[in-house]
Amino acid sequence: MADLTTDVRYIKGIGEQRAKALGKLHIATLRDLISYFPRAYEDRSVRKAIRDLTDGETVCVEAMVAAPPTLSRVRKGLELVKLRVVDSTGTLDITFFNQAYQRDNLHTGETYTFYGKIEGTGRRKQMVNPIVEREGAHVLTGRIAPIYPLTAGITQSLLVKSIQQGLAACRDLLEDPLPDEVRRDHNLCHIHYAYDHVHFPESQETLAIARRRLVFEELFLLAIGLKKLRNRRAAVAVPPCTQTDLSPFYAALPFSLTLAQRRAIGETLSDLTSGRPMNRLVQGDVGSGKTMVAAAALYCAAQNGLQGALMAPTEILAEQHYRGLGPLLEGLGVRCALLTGSTPARQRRSILEQLATGEIQVVIGTHALISGDVTYCRLGLVVTDEQHRFGVGQRSALSAKGENPHLLVMSATPIPRTLALIIYGDLDVSVIDELPPGRQKVDTFAVDSSYRQRIYAFIRKLIQEGRQAYVICPMVEGNDAFPDDRKAVTAYAKALQEQVFPDLKIGYVHGKMKPKEKDAVMAAFSGGETDILVSTTVVEVGVDVPNAAVMLIENAERFGLSQLHQLRGRVGRGQHKSYCILLSDNQNPETRERLKVMTRTSDGFRIAEEDLRLRGPGDFFGQRQHGLPAMKIADLSCDMALLQEAQQAAADLLARDPQLTACPLTARRVRELFDENRDALN
Ligand code: ADP
Ligand code: MG
């Protein structure tokens, strides 16, 4: 007898080899198999007689093979199987490319269902590479068919058949992790119904019912897990910082802070004095002054005898922070140091020594901060900048160097609040929703390449006035995933130099360069030695060159809105009027609309919401580094309302039953889901 933990090899047709391939899809047991949900569906339920077929439609045709299929080798690597099929209303030609086995698969005089796209009209109708199924089988055709994500060695039809068998063997053993009253209160179907219809829906309606329930379940369990993590943190005690007088800090600043900055600092300091470890995300648009929140926190920690560490994802950024914060904090009597991969060995030794003794109170750096031989004295505050570039693992590696240190995360990717809850999980969020006064809006234009000469002339004029320019291209040379009409950075820089601006200094930088080379190029641009910097998105994060007043973005349609917004944030950082030009020849109305959004607003949160609406959360989840359980079925771009409902349900349940004693199954599933945090959730 099979149960949910039975190995997939139990399924007929799955042996050693296929089991291994399925392993790549994280399918090891029958439970994994039947919980492997389709990523899409194809409605193959429309069936037609041959006479009624029209050019271009995709349908099922039930027809008999009229004569033995022929196989011909047109040339090396191209084999054709051709056959003619008939029904009582007409004939249809079928062609298979490189599926030689179809010749022996299809027998004259027998009837099959063919699903595919019709080409041609009248007597000359044909179907190329249809899906074929024996008459009456209706697993792959004649229904709404599931489409599963595949891997080498695993086909759709194998998955369909295996999941059918898997469901037959053990669907009844599935236990419902949703408590009955939750299921009833939120109108959710039974788990068995949900599994049947998410794989093999009878209609769009049954599919919607099944999907809604499974999405709810996933988000509900996630919400419970996150709430428990949060509660657990609230149970850890650390020595509270004393209320620190910030007036020397404020007095040392060359500007007065915005209200939003003060509010975020207030929230941060109240965390530090709470006696619980802080776990806070500071979110704010580019240029909103997040660094000042970090500075205030580091100052407060130092006043309380705690060491602070600020980790940035690149050397450029670490140095930039050090240049800004170092003098400020040193001026207030706080000893600072910079530690990166390029810190010379002797200097590094001395820094490590002083870190271990506590002489250095604040260290700013890169991953170098978490290398094995770095020990801290009383590491009490960990700040990470641009957190989406760090994995949760790196964050906790730094935290592990202290004892429950306070954690402050700064992110420049504005994320709608609902999403932040998921992506940043158990972090509290401060939002800086105000820019320092006097910032000028970056004038933004979306144009096609008929404007190219005018754009170049405009850039030249600005450079003659003493400004600098960025040109952003979407790819790195030698990436064959893209056709060659996309402009490679190196080729582009060369052409620009030779054909457009022979008299100007042009530099280029891309992600495949060594950090040393990259830094040299950035330093040259930052120092005003180069006029134009051609770059990929590596300039996206935090780079600060106030003299750069114009950015040209090539193939702008290839970037997400939030990414365009990040990029645009590189200009308009000084007192000069600044411009951003989005160049795209893409005529797709949706693309044009997306780019228009950029010309209309400079509010990062609005742009993020728009991006979410237009593109889905892929951008935010792109790097999947948040360390939370992967979503099997929920899609946060369209399941947002359900997310809120599930979060509310989770909060209600935990309020009624904090230990989940009445629903042990729910508790167990949450623990399984958060495997790596298992202990934390007990
Ligand atoms: P981000 O939020 O993008 O990290 P930064 O902290 O780098 O922004 O700040 C951007 C620039 O604005 C820096 O040059 C910083 O010195 C300056 N700045 C920060 N806060 C203020 C303020 N309240 N008034 C004026 N300038 C400020
Ligand atoms: Mg920053």
Side-chain angles (χ1 to χ4, degrees), residues 456-515:
Y456 286 150
F458 180 65
I459 291 176
R460 175 179 288 282
K461 177 173 144 282
L462 287 174
I463 291 174
Q464 278 162 355
E465 289 170 10
R467 304 289 79 75
Q468 288 165 283
Y470 290 104
V471 178
I472 308 295
C473 308
M475 65 166 292
V476 175
E477 188 186 22
N479 184 345
D480 24 294
F482 300 110
D484 51 6
D485 63 316
R486 310 289 158 87
K487 295 154 189 75
V489 166
T490 46
Y492 187 98
K494 188 160 176 282
L496 205 62
Q497 179 79 76
E498 288 169 1
Q499 292 156 30
V500 190
F501 299 120
D503 52 327
L504 299 181
K505 295 213 185 60
I506 297 179
Y508 65 84
V509 60
H510 55 70
K512 298 259 159 69
M513 279 163 106
K514 297 204 184 71

Coordinates of all heavy atoms in Angstrom, one line a residue, residues 456-515:
Y456 N 21.9 62.7 -28.9 CA 23.3 62.8 -28.8 C 23.8 64.3 -28.8 O 24.7 64.7 -28.0 CB 24.0 62.2 -30.0 CG 24.0 60.6 -30.0 CD1 23.9 59.9 -31.1 CD2 24.0 60.0 -28.7 CE1 23.9 58.5 -31.1 CE2 24.0 58.6 -28.7 CZ 23.9 57.8 -29.9 OH 23.9 56.5 -29.8
A457 N 23.1 65.1 -29.6 CA 23.4 66.6 -29.6 C 23.1 67.2 -28.2 O 23.9 68.0 -27.7 CB 22.6 67.3 -30.6
F458 N 22.1 66.7 -27.6 CA 21.7 67.2 -26.3 C 22.7 66.8 -25.2 O 23.2 67.6 -24.4 CB 20.3 66.7 -25.9 CG 19.8 67.1 -24.6 CD1 19.5 68.5 -24.3 CD2 19.6 66.2 -23.5 CE1 19.0 68.9 -23.1 CE2 19.1 66.6 -22.3 CZ 18.8 67.9 -22.1
I459 N 23.1 65.6 -25.3 CA 24.2 65.1 -24.3 C 25.5 65.9 -24.5 O 26.1 66.3 -23.5 CB 24.4 63.6 -24.5 CG1 23.2 62.8 -24.1 CG2 25.7 63.1 -23.8 CD1 23.3 61.3 -24.3
R460 N 25.8 66.1 -25.8 CA 27.0 66.9 -26.0 C 26.9 68.3 -25.4 O 27.9 68.8 -24.8 CB 27.2 67.0 -27.6 CG 28.4 67.9 -28.0 CD 28.6 67.9 -29.5 NE 29.1 66.6 -30.0 CZ 30.4 66.3 -29.9 NH1 31.3 67.1 -29.3 NH2 30.8 65.1 -30.4
K461 N 25.8 68.9 -25.6 CA 25.6 70.3 -25.1 C 25.8 70.3 -23.5 O 26.5 71.1 -23.0 CB 24.2 70.8 -25.4 CG 23.9 72.1 -24.9 CD 22.5 72.6 -25.4 CE 21.7 73.4 -24.4 NZ 21.0 72.7 -23.4
L462 N 25.2 69.3 -22.8 CA 25.3 69.2 -21.4 C 26.8 69.0 -21.0 O 27.3 69.6 -20.0 CB 24.4 68.1 -20.8 CG 22.9 68.4 -20.8 CD1 22.1 67.2 -20.3 CD2 22.6 69.6 -19.9
I463 N 27.5 68.1 -21.7 CA 28.9 67.9 -21.4 C 29.7 69.1 -21.6 O 30.6 69.4 -20.8 CB 29.4 66.7 -22.2 CG1 28.7 65.4 -21.7 CG2 30.9 66.6 -22.1 CD1 29.0 64.2 -22.5
Q464 N 29.4 69.9 -22.6 CA 30.1 71.2 -22.9 C 29.9 72.1 -21.7 O 30.7 72.9 -21.4 CB 29.7 71.8 -24.2 CG 30.4 71.2 -25.4 CD 29.8 71.5 -26.7 OE1 28.7 72.0 -26.8 NE2 30.4 71.0 -27.8
E465 N 28.7 72.0 -21.1 CA 28.4 72.8 -19.9 C 29.1 72.3 -18.7 O 28.9 72.9 -17.6 CB 26.9 72.9 -19.7 CG 26.2 73.8 -20.7 CD 24.7 73.6 -20.6 OE1 24.2 73.1 -19.6 OE2 24.0 74.1 -21.5
G466 N 29.8 71.2 -18.8 CA 30.6 70.7 -17.7 C 30.0 69.5 -17.0 O 30.5 69.0 -16.0
R467 N 28.8 69.0 -17.5 CA 28.1 67.9 -16.8 C 28.7 66.5 -17.3 O 29.6 66.5 -18.2 CB 26.6 67.9 -17.1 CG 25.9 69.2 -16.7 CD 25.8 69.3 -15.2 NE 27.0 69.8 -14.6 CZ 27.4 71.0 -14.6 NH1 26.7 72.0 -15.3 NH2 28.6 71.4 -14.1
Q468 N 28.2 65.4 -16.8 CA 28.6 64.1 -17.2 C 27.3 63.3 -17.5 O 26.2 63.7 -17.1 CB 29.4 63.4 -16.1 CG 30.8 64.0 -16.0 CD 31.4 63.5 -14.7 OE1 31.1 64.0 -13.6 NE2 32.3 62.5 -14.8
A469 N 27.5 62.2 -18.2 CA 26.3 61.4 -18.7 C 26.5 59.9 -18.5 O 27.6 59.4 -18.5 CB 26.1 61.7 -20.2
Y470 N 25.4 59.3 -18.2 CA 25.4 57.8 -18.2 C 24.7 57.3 -19.4 O 23.7 57.9 -19.8 CB 24.5 57.3 -17.0 CG 25.1 57.5 -15.6 CD1 24.6 58.5 -14.8 CD2 26.0 56.6 -15.1 CE1 25.0 58.6 -13.5 CE2 26.5 56.8 -13.8 CZ 26.0 57.8 -13.0 OH 26.5 57.9 -11.7
V471 N 25.1 56.2 -20.0 CA 24.3 55.5 -21.0 C 24.2 54.1 -20.5 O 25.2 53.4 -20.2 CB 25.0 55.5 -22.4 CG1 24.2 54.7 -23.3 CG2 25.2 56.9 -22.9
I472 N 23.0 53.6 -20.4 CA 22.7 52.3 -19.8 C 22.3 51.3 -21.0 O 21.4 51.6 -21.7 CB 21.6 52.3 -18.8 CG1 21.9 53.3 -17.7 CG2 21.4 50.9 -18.2 CD1 23.1 53.1 -16.9
C473 N 23.0 50.2 -21.1 CA 22.6 49.1 -22.0 C 22.2 47.9 -21.2 O 22.7 47.6 -20.2 CB 23.8 48.7 -22.9 SG 24.6 50.1 -23.7
P474 N 21.3 47.1 -21.7 CA 20.8 46.0 -21.0 C 21.6 44.7 -20.9 O 21.1 43.8 -20.4 CB 19.4 45.8 -21.6 CG 19.5 46.3 -22.9 CD 20.6 47.3 -23.0
M475 N 22.8 44.7 -21.5 CA 23.4 43.4 -21.5 C 25.0 43.5 -21.5 O 25.5 44.5 -21.8 CB 23.0 42.5 -22.6 CG 23.4 43.1 -23.9 SD 23.3 42.0 -25.3 CE 24.5 40.8 -24.9
V476 N 25.6 42.3 -21.3 CA 27.1 42.3 -21.4 C 27.5 41.5 -22.6 O 26.8 40.6 -23.0 CB 27.6 41.5 -20.1 CG1 29.1 41.3 -20.2 CG2 27.2 42.3 -18.9
E477 N 28.5 41.9 -23.2 CA 29.0 41.3 -24.4 C 29.2 39.8 -24.3 O 29.6 39.3 -23.2 CB 30.4 41.9 -24.8 CG 30.9 41.4 -26.1 CD 32.3 41.9 -26.3 OE1 33.0 42.2 -25.3 OE2 32.7 42.0 -27.5
G478 N 28.8 39.1 -25.3 CA 29.0 37.6 -25.3 C 27.9 36.8 -24.6 O 28.1 35.6 -24.4
N479 N 26.9 37.5 -24.3 CA 25.7 36.8 -23.7 C 24.9 36.3 -24.9 O 24.1 37.1 -25.5 CB 25.0 37.7 -22.8 CG 23.8 37.0 -22.1 OD1 23.5 35.9 -22.5 ND2 23.3 37.6 -21.1
D480 N 24.9 35.0 -25.2 CA 24.2 34.6 -26.4 C 22.8 34.3 -26.2 O 22.1 33.8 -27.1 CB 24.9 33.4 -27.1 CG 25.7 32.6 -26.2 OD1 26.7 33.1 -25.7 OD2 25.4 31.4 -25.9
A481 N 22.3 34.6 -25.0 CA 20.9 34.4 -24.7 C 20.1 35.5 -25.5 O 18.9 35.3 -25.8 CB 20.5 34.5 -23.3
F482 N 20.8 36.5 -25.9 CA 20.1 37.6 -26.6 C 20.6 37.7 -28.1 O 21.8 37.5 -28.3 CB 20.2 38.9 -25.9 CG 19.7 38.9 -24.5 CD1 20.6 39.0 -23.5 CD2 18.4 38.9 -24.3 CE1 20.1 39.0 -22.2 CE2 17.9 38.9 -23.0 CZ 18.7 38.9 -22.0
P483 N 19.8 38.0 -29.0 CA 20.3 38.2 -30.4 C 21.2 39.5 -30.4 O 21.1 40.3 -29.5 CB 19.0 38.4 -31.2 CG 17.9 38.7 -30.2 CD 18.3 38.2 -28.9
D484 N 21.9 39.6 -31.5 CA 23.0 40.6 -31.5 C 22.5 42.0 -31.8 O 23.2 43.0 -31.8 CB 24.1 40.2 -32.5 CG 23.5 39.9 -33.9 OD1 22.3 40.1 -34.0 OD2 24.3 39.5 -34.7
D485 N 21.2 42.2 -32.0 CA 20.7 43.6 -32.2 C 20.7 44.3 -30.8 O 20.6 45.5 -30.8 CB 19.3 43.6 -32.8 CG 18.3 42.9 -32.0 OD1 18.6 41.9 -31.4 OD2 17.2 43.5 -31.8
R486 N 20.8 43.6 -29.8 CA 20.9 44.2 -28.5 C 22.3 44.7 -28.3 O 23.3 44.1 -28.7 CB 20.5 43.2 -27.3 CG 19.3 42.5 -27.6 CD 18.1 43.4 -27.4 NE 16.9 42.9 -28.0 CZ 16.0 42.0 -27.5 NH1 16.2 41.6 -26.3 NH2 15.0 41.7 -28.2
K487 N 22.4 45.9 -27.7 CA 23.7 46.6 -27.7 C 24.6 46.2 -26.6 O 24.3 46.5 -25.4 CB 23.4 48.1 -27.8 CG 22.7 48.4 -29.1 CD 21.9 49.7 -28.9 CE 21.1 49.9 -30.2 NZ 19.9 49.0 -30.2
A488 N 25.6 45.5 -26.9 CA 26.6 45.1 -25.9 C 27.3 46.4 -25.4 O 27.6 47.3 -26.2 CB 27.5 44.1 -26.5
V489 N 27.7 46.4 -24.1 CA 28.3 47.5 -23.5 C 29.6 47.9 -24.3 O 29.8 49.0 -24.7 CB 28.6 47.3 -22.1 CG1 29.6 48.3 -21.5 CG2 27.3 47.3 -21.3
T490 N 30.5 46.9 -24.4 CA 31.8 47.2 -25.0 C 31.7 47.7 -26.5 O 32.2 48.7 -26.8 CB 32.7 46.0 -25.0 OG1 31.9 44.9 -25.4 CG2 33.2 45.7 -23.6
A491 N 30.8 47.0 -27.2 CA 30.7 47.3 -28.6 C 30.0 48.7 -28.7 O 30.4 49.6 -29.5 CB 29.8 46.3 -29.3
Y492 N 29.1 48.9 -27.8 CA 28.4 50.2 -27.8 C 29.3 51.4 -27.5 O 29.3 52.4 -28.1 CB 27.2 50.2 -26.8 CG 26.3 51.4 -26.9 CD1 25.1 51.3 -27.6 CD2 26.7 52.5 -26.2 CE1 24.3 52.4 -27.6 CE2 25.8 53.6 -26.3 CZ 24.7 53.6 -27.0 OH 23.9 54.7 -27.0
A493 N 30.1 51.1 -26.5 CA 31.1 52.2 -26.0 C 32.0 52.5 -27.2 O 32.3 53.7 -27.4 CB 31.8 51.8 -24.8
K494 N 32.5 51.5 -27.9 CA 33.4 51.7 -28.9 C 32.8 52.5 -30.1 O 33.3 53.5 -30.5 CB 33.8 50.3 -29.5 CG 34.9 50.3 -30.5 CD 35.6 48.9 -30.5 CE 36.7 48.8 -31.6 NZ 36.1 48.6 -33.0
A495 N 31.6 52.1 -30.4 CA 30.9 52.8 -31.5 C 30.6 54.2 -31.1 O 30.8 55.2 -31.9 CB 29.6 52.1 -31.8
L496 N 30.2 54.4 -29.9 CA 29.9 55.8 -29.4 C 31.2 56.7 -29.5 O 31.2 57.8 -29.9 CB 29.4 55.7 -28.0 CG 28.6 56.8 -27.5 CD1 27.3 56.9 -28.3 CD2 28.3 56.6 -26.0
Q497 N 32.3 56.1 -29.1 CA 33.6 56.8 -29.1 C 34.0 57.1 -30.5 O 34.4 58.3 -30.8 CB 34.7 55.9 -28.5 CG 36.0 56.5 -28.4 CD 36.2 57.5 -27.3 OE1 36.3 57.1 -26.2 NE2 36.1 58.8 -27.6
E498 N 33.9 56.1 -31.4 CA 34.4 56.3 -32.8 C 33.5 57.1 -33.6 O 34.0 58.0 -34.4 CB 34.7 55.0 -33.4 CG 35.9 54.3 -32.8 CD 36.1 52.8 -33.3 OE1 35.2 52.4 -34.1 OE2 37.0 52.2 -32.8
Q499 N 32.2 56.9 -33.5 CA 31.3 57.5 -34.5 C 30.6 58.7 -34.0 O 30.2 59.6 -34.8 CB 30.3 56.5 -34.9 CG 30.9 55.3 -35.7 CD 30.1 54.1 -35.7 OE1 28.9 54.1 -35.5 NE2 30.7 52.9 -35.7
V500 N 30.4 58.9 -32.7 CA 29.6 60.0 -32.2 C 30.4 61.0 -31.4 O 30.3 62.2 -31.7 CB 28.4 59.5 -31.3 CG1 27.4 60.6 -31.1 CG2 27.7 58.3 -32.0
F501 N 31.2 60.6 -30.5 CA 31.9 61.5 -29.6 C 33.4 61.3 -29.6 O 34.0 61.0 -28.6 CB 31.4 61.3 -28.2 CG 29.9 61.6 -28.0 CD1 29.1 60.6 -27.5 CD2 29.4 62.9 -28.3 CE1 27.7 60.9 -27.3 CE2 28.0 63.1 -28.1 CZ 27.2 62.1 -27.6
P502 N 34.0 61.4 -30.8 CA 35.5 61.1 -30.9 C 36.3 62.0 -30.0 O 37.4 61.6 -29.5 CB 35.8 61.3 -32.4 CG 34.7 62.1 -32.9 CD 33.5 61.8 -32.1
D503 N 35.8 63.2 -29.6 CA 36.5 64.1 -28.9 C 36.3 64.0 -27.4 O 36.9 64.7 -26.6 CB 36.1 65.5 -29.3 CG 34.6 65.7 -29.3 OD1 33.9 64.7 -29.6 OD2 34.2 66.9 -29.0
L504 N 35.3 63.1 -26.9 CA 35.0 63.0 -25.5 C 35.6 61.8 -24.9 O 36.0 60.8 -25.6 CB 33.5 63.0 -25.3 CG 32.7 64.2 -25.8 CD1 31.3 64.1 -25.5 CD2 33.3 65.5 -25.2
K505 N 35.7 61.8 -23.6 CA 36.3 60.6 -22.9 C 35.1 59.7 -22.4 O 34.2 60.1 -21.7 CB 37.1 61.1 -21.7 CG 38.3 61.9 -22.0 CD 39.4 61.6 -21.1 CE 40.6 62.5 -21.4 NZ 40.2 64.0 -21.3
I506 N 35.2 58.5 -22.9 CA 34.1 57.5 -22.6 C 34.7 56.3 -21.9 O 35.7 55.7 -22.2 CB 33.5 57.0 -24.0 CG1 32.8 58.2 -24.6 CG2 32.4 55.9 -23.7 CD1 32.2 57.9 -26.0
G507 N 34.0 56.0 -20.8 CA 34.4 54.8 -20.0 C 33.3 53.8 -20.0 O 32.2 54.1 -20.4
Y508 N 33.6 52.5 -19.7 CA 32.5 51.6 -19.6 C 32.7 50.6 -18.4 O 33.8 50.4 -18.0 CB 32.2 50.8 -20.9 CG 33.4 49.9 -21.3 CD1 33.5 48.6 -20.8 CD2 34.3 50.4 -22.3 CE1 34.5 47.8 -21.3 CE2 35.3 49.6 -22.7 CZ 35.4 48.3 -22.2 OH 36.4 47.5 -22.6
V509 N 31.6 50.1 -17.9 CA 31.7 49.2 -16.8 C 30.5 48.2 -16.9 O 29.4 48.5 -17.4 CB 31.6 50.0 -15.5 CG1 30.3 50.8 -15.4 CG2 31.7 49.1 -14.3
H510 N 30.8 47.0 -16.6 CA 29.8 45.9 -16.6 C 30.0 44.9 -15.5 O 31.1 44.8 -15.0 CB 29.6 45.3 -18.0 CG 30.8 44.7 -18.5 ND1 31.4 43.6 -18.0 CD2 31.6 45.1 -19.5 CE1 32.5 43.3 -18.7 NE2 32.6 44.2 -19.6
G511 N 29.1 44.1 -15.3 CA 29.1 43.2 -14.2 C 30.2 42.1 -14.3 O 30.5 41.5 -13.3
K512 N 30.7 41.8 -15.5 CA 31.6 40.7 -15.6 C 33.1 41.2 -15.4 O 34.0 40.5 -15.5 CB 31.5 40.1 -17.1 CG 30.2 39.5 -17.3 CD 30.2 38.0 -17.2 CE 28.8 37.4 -17.0 NZ 28.0 37.5 -18.2
M513 N 33.2 42.5 -15.1 CA 34.5 43.0 -14.9 C 35.0 42.7 -13.5 O 34.2 42.5 -12.6 CB 34.5 44.6 -15.0 CG 34.6 45.1 -16.4 SD 34.1 46.8 -16.5 CE 35.7 47.6 -16.7
K514 N 36.3 42.6 -13.3 CA 36.8 42.4 -11.9 C 36.6 43.6 -11.1 O 36.6 44.7 -11.6 CB 38.3 42.2 -12.0 CG 38.7 40.9 -12.8 CD 40.1 40.4 -12.3 CE 40.5 39.2 -13.2 NZ 40.9 39.7 -14.6
P515 N 36.3 43.4 -9.8 CA 36.0 44.5 -8.9 C 37.0 45.7 -9.0 O 36.7 46.8 -9.0 CB 36.1 43.9 -7.5 CG 35.8 42.5 -7.7 CD 36.3 42.1 -9.1

